[in-house]
């Protein structure tokens, strides 16, 4: 069980959260200008590193706010948020 | 009397180069190497494994084999696999303990029932054995199951595939390894791939912990670690690696002689040949490579199991573990060519790779030999994420990804 560091509520059990995947994936500023391959990249391609990973969590059973964290995908430790 | 049985495969030093280098000696890698040699006469093949042979997901899965998928493309590749399973002990001259004890997928709500009946019909149209069972018929097949309407999620029926079942995962790996080795394939363990040598648009070799090995073609077959290799090669794959947990109980008398799966309350269970209850549930939500997962997943699957099978309440859990599965956006595999000319990919099997082992090896070997997707692999190329022709098996996979 992870202890997710919610910036507003402090560290809380993983079961209170929904996982949001990779952080900092911006919606394309001009979606109509994207090629099919670029659109597929935005929709489907995410980093999948074996190491530090910036990701999002939604504190569904707490403050109901989204936060960004940095977590190591092998040791599962949380680092400083980005 | 000999002191020690013969080894099933040799432990060679890597040669300077091979016609095909397969990265990953799990079930898929071993099957691919075997079919490259058997079906295509390509035996100048090395299978590189960073740890020991079949010690990754092949040793961590729940060994369930079935082909009751919804979409034609999925049904075709999994049924091809199931047909190969049916002859595999004879083919490889090694008893893989394939037991066609049938698989039940339970329905617990009206939408479940409708989806299940639809899948039965789709299976039959594809020539796959499938039946819809009423709660009474489920109870007759599995006397220990609780079909009381009082349950929070009562059993409203189930799909049943009689030809589905389980096999002994270690035996499958050893059988393929021995057969591939006899055809001249080199199985090289403790050999981690750390990088690639390139010349223009081609890869010419792999850098490994045991030196550089030249390669005519490179076949990625590393399950949860495939995107790490792709990153080295300079392209991205639509994969997220997640821990998928399984557990076994202590040895029990035979109480369950079919496989029972439930997507809605999420547990699947079979009884191994020796007597352990083998159970699994869903993946952990987060990306992870740690080969362990969260306890709450185990807790909820056991709660579901005990509600369905009250007598399990007295069983002790012996071991829990996780394998790292490579989940794709449409819960279907990725099989075929890559942006690098002579590099091929077989990944994205998510939680369902074991059942596909023979079929995936067969079509992947053909894809590598002819440098174009095998007809059964054609719907599963990387292109589908650009064209939008996804094979969305989230529901029919019967396991929530």
């Amino acid at each position: 069980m992870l202890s997710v560091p919610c910036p507003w509520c402090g560290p809380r059990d993983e079961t209170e959260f929904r996982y949001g995947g990779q952080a900092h994936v911006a919606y394309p500023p001009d979606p109509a200008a994207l090629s099919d391959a670029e659109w597929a990249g935005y929709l489907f391609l995410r980093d999948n590193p074996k190491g530090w990973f910036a990701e999002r969590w939604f504190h569904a059973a707490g403050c109901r706010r989204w936060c960004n964290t940095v977590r190591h995908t092998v040791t599962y430790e949380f680092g400083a948020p980005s | 009397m000999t002191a020690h049985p013969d080894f099933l495969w040799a432990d060679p030093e890597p040669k300077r180069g091979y016609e095909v280098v397969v990265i990953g000696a799990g079930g898929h890698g071993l099957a691919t190497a075997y079919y490259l040699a058997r079906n295509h006469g390509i035996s100048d093949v090395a299978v590189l494994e960073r740890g020991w042979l079949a010690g990754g997901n092949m040793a961590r899965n729940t060994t369930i084999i079935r082909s009751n998928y919804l979409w034609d493309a999925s049904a075709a590749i999994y049924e091809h696999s199931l047909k190969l399973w049916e002859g595999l002990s004879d083919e490889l001259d090694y008893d893989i303990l394939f037991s066609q004890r049938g698989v039940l997928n339970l329905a617990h709500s009206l939408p479940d029932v409708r989806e299940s009946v639809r899948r039965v019909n789709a299976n039959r149209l594809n020539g796959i054995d499938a039946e819809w069972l009423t709660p009474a018929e489920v109870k007759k097949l599995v006397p220990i199951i609780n079909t009381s309407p009082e349950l929070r999620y009562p059993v409203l029926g189930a799909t049943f595939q009689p030809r589905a079942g389980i096999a002994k995962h270690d035996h499958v790996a050893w059988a393929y390894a021995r057969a591939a080795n006899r055809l001249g394939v080199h199985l090289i363990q403790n050999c981690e791939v750390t990088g690639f040598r390139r010349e223009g648009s081609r890869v010419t070799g792999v850098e490994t912990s045991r030196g550089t090995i030249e390669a005519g073609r490179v076949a990625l077959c590393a399950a949860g670690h495939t995107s790490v290799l792709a990153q080295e090669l300079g392209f991205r794959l639509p994969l997220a690696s997640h821990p998928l947990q399984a557990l076994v109980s202590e040895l029990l008398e035979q109480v369950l002689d079919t496989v029972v799966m439930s997507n809605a309350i999420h547990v699947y269970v079979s009884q191994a040949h020796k007597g352990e209850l083998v159970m699994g549930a869903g993946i952990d939500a987060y990306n992870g490579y740690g080969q362990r997962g969260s306890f709450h997943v185990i807790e909820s699957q056991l709660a579901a199991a005990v509600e369905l099978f009250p007598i399990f309440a007295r069983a002790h859990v012996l071991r829990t573990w996780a394998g790292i599965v490579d989940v794709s956006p449409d819960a279907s595999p990725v099989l075929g060519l890559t942006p690098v000319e002579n590099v091929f990919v077989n990944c994205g099997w998510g939680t369902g790779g074991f059942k596909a082992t023979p079929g995936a090896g067969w079509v992947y070997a053909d894809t590598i030999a002819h440098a174009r997707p095998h007809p059964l692999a054609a719907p599963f190329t990387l292109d589908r994420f650009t064209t939008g022709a996804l094979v969305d098996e989230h529901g029919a996979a019967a396991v929530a990804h």
Side-chain angles (χ1 to χ4, degrees):
Chain A
M1 173 97 65
L2 304 181
S3 177
V4 181
C6 174
W8 296 283
C9 308
R12 304 293 288 258
D13 282 353
E14 172 197 343
T15 48
E16 295 184 11
F17 293 81
R18 294 273 192 283
Y19 186 62
Q22 186 175 357
H24 312 302
V25 179
Y27 190 78
D30 185 4
L34 297 187
S35 68
D36 286 353
E38 287 166 334
W39 185 247
Y42 166 70
L43 282 180
F44 298 125
L45 293 178
R46 295 291 180 270
D47 294 337
N48 189 26
K50 191 173 184 178
W52 291 103
F53 186 46
E55 64 190 7
R56 311 173 75 219
W57 294 88
F58 174 59
H59 198 177
C63 61
R64 299 195 59 77
R65 285 196 275 187
W66 285 92
C67 66
N68 293 336
T69 63
V70 178
R71 186 179 55 91
H72 198 282
T73 59
V74 180
T75 65
Y76 299 162
E77 81 186 286
F78 284 89
S82 64
Chain B
M1 192 176 137
T2 51
H4 195 283
D6 287 342
F7 287 102
L8 294 175
W9 57 86
D11 187 24
E13 282 300 311
K15 288 197 301 180
R16 189 153 168 269
Y18 296 88
E19 195 174 340
V20 179
V21 166
V22 178
I23 303 175
H28 284 215
L30 294 168
T32 301
Y34 170 71
Y35 292 117
L36 274 170
R38 175 197 182 273
N39 292 355
H40 305 284
I42 302 172
S43 55
D44 185 23
V45 176
V47 187
L48 309 184
E49 171 55 51
R50 73 179 174 140
W52 62 92
L53 189 137
N57 288 0
M58 192 60 171
R60 293 163 187 274
N61 68 80
T62 51
T63 80
I64 297 165
I65 295 162
R66 58 191 174 84
S67 64
N68 57 346
Y69 278 68
L70 180 66
W71 299 114
D72 294 351
S74 316
I77 197 165
Y78 286 109
E79 178 61 14
H80 176 57
S81 199
L82 181 48
K83 288 200 172 108
L84 290 171
W85 280 114
E86 288 176 319
L88 206 57
S89 286
D90 286 343
E91 159 86 25
L92 302 177
D93 188 25
Y94 196 106
D95 189 1
I96 59 161
L97 301 179
F98 181 47
S99 165
Q100 288 177 291
R101 58 185 61 191
V103 168
L104 284 166
N105 286 98
L106 304 180
H108 300 277
S109 65
L110 195 53
D112 265 5
V113 170
R114 288 175 177 148
E115 185 280 321
S116 300
V117 172
R118 180 189 179 201
R119 186 154 43 82
V120 164
N121 291 332
N123 290 162
R124 286 183 172 182
L125 286 170
N126 277 314
I128 293 168
D129 57 321
E131 295 167 34
W132 169 254
L133 302 188
T134 64
E137 289 167 328
V138 171
K139 183 75 180 172
K140 194 174 169 195
L141 201 61
V142 185
I144 60 169
I145 203 167
N146 183 358
T147 50
S148 160
E150 304 302 316
L151 287 185
R152 184 175 178 195
Y153 301 107
V155 175
L156 299 182
T159 67
F160 185 53
Q161 185 181 19
R163 287 164 60 241
I166 60 172
K168 185 81 180 157
H169 51 345
D170 291 332
H171 288 211
V172 176
W174 301 338
Y176 270 121
R178 186 179 69 155
N181 180 69
R182 282 179 174 174
L183 294 174
V185 169
H186 278 189
L187 308 172
I188 301 168
Q189 303 176 74
N190 300 309
C191 183
E192 182 176 11
V193 172
T194 54
F196 295 89
R197 292 219 163 172
R198 306 182 70 144
E199 218 167 81
S201 61
R202 295 178 65 81
V203 163
T204 58
V206 294
E207 306 280 3
T208 80
S209 54
R210 295 177 69 172
T212 304
I213 299 171
E214 292 171 10
R217 278 161 281 182
V218 173
L220 308 183
C221 219
H225 284 75
T226 307
S227 49
V228 177
L229 293 168
Q231 193 181 5
E232 284 288 322
L233 285 159
F235 61 87
R236 299 171 87 195
L237 291 168
L239 297 179
S241 295
H242 293 265
L244 172 65
Q245 298 187 85
L247 61 87
V248 292
S249 74
E250 61 195 320
L251 302 180
L252 301 171
E253 280 183 39
Q254 202 65 33
V255 290
L256 182 65
D257 56 9
T258 188
V259 182
V260 181
M261 308 184 63
S262 168
N263 196 10
I265 59 173
H266 220 144
V267 66
Y268 40 94
V269 57
S270 66
Q271 192 163 14
H273 296 84
K274 275 194 303 183
E276 309 100 312
L277 297 170
V278 183
M279 284 188 213
I283 58 171
D284 280 72
Y286 50 80
N287 287 37
Y289 289 91
Q291 293 191 324
R292 64 180 196 278
S294 294
F295 188 73
H296 71 87
V297 173
I298 295 171
E299 201 174 24
S300 62
Q301 89 185 57
L302 286 179
V306 169
E307 184 161 83
L308 277 178
F309 304 97
I311 68 166
F312 288 2
R314 287 173 179 271
H316 293 101
V317 171
L318 270 198
R319 289 191 304 283
T320 75
W321 65 90
I324 303 307
V325 296
D326 43 329
V327 177
S328 69
D330 60 356
S332 289
V334 179
L335 232 165
L337 314 186
T338 71
V340 182
E341 193 182 316
N342 58 334
V343 174
F344 301 85
V345 70
N346 169 53
C347 63
W349 292 92
T351 64
F354 177 75
K355 70 175 84 69
T357 301
W362 181 289
V363 302
Y364 194 33
D366 183 271
T367 299
I368 297 159
H370 299 292
R372 55 97 188 93
H374 181 281
L376 291 177
F380 299 107
T381 59
L382 268 175
D383 298 349
R384 74 176 187 271
F385 297 101
T386 303
T387 62
L390 304 181
V391 187
D392 191 0
E393 285 287 2
H394 278 98
V399 169
H401 286 284

